[in-house]
Amino acid sequence: IMIVDRDKIVAASGEFKKKYFDKVISSYLENLIESRVSVTEKDFMELQITNDSTELVSYSISPIIASGDAIGAVIMLSKVHKMNDFNEKTVEIAAKFLGKYIE
C-alpha cells in the first residue's frame, strides 16, 4: 500500500517502502489524482510509479478528496495476487477515511 500526495509518496509498506518512499510520483499518477478517477487493474500491467520507474503489478488507486480538493491517493499494489472487488472497495474506503480525517 502507498499513500501519495500531489507530489510524492508520503507512506509505503512492504517491499515498495524502501524503493519508493519520499520519491516524486509520475505524471500518470498526478493526472489520476487531478481527474479524481478510481482505477483498478485486475490483471498484471505496468504501472509508472515514478517518472523513471515502472512495476508489473495488479493495482487499485483511489483519490483522496478533502474539502472538495483532490489532495492525493491511496494505492494498493501486488506483484503476486490479482486485485479483486474487495481490494478495490478497501482502497476506496481508506481514501474516503483519510479525506474526512484531513478535513
Side-chain angles (χ1 to χ4, degrees), residues 7-95:
D7 300 315
K8 63 182 180 175
I9 298 163
V10 296
S13 65
E15 68 179 277
F16 300 107
K17 184 176 184 175
K18 289 182 182 177
K19 186 173 183 180
Y20 290 113
F21 178 71
D22 209 34
K23 302 282 185 189
V24 175
I25 63 172
S26 68
S27 55
Y28 172 73
L29 291 177
E30 285 180 39
N31 291 335
L32 280 179
I33 293 167
E34 287 177 25
S35 64
R36 301 167 184 236
V37 176
S38 292
V39 177
T40 297
E41 186 56 59
K42 294 183 179 181
D43 293 321
F44 294 101
M45 302 288 290
E46 286 206 352
L47 174 64
Q48 187 173 17
I49 298 171
T50 64
N51 283 327
D52 59 346
S53 182
T54 60
E55 297 282 348
L56 184 62
V57 291
S58 178
Y59 59 89
S60 186
I61 303 170
S62 188
I64 300 169
I65 310 295
S67 300
D69 296 325
I71 61 167
V74 176
I75 305 170
M76 183 181 288
L77 310 165
S78 178
K79 289 184 174 184
V80 179
H81 303 287
K82 291 185 177 183
M83 292 291 121
N84 56 36
D85 293 337
F86 178 76
N87 299 123
E88 183 177 5
K89 289 297 178 193
T90 301
V91 170
E92 288 177 12
I93 290 168

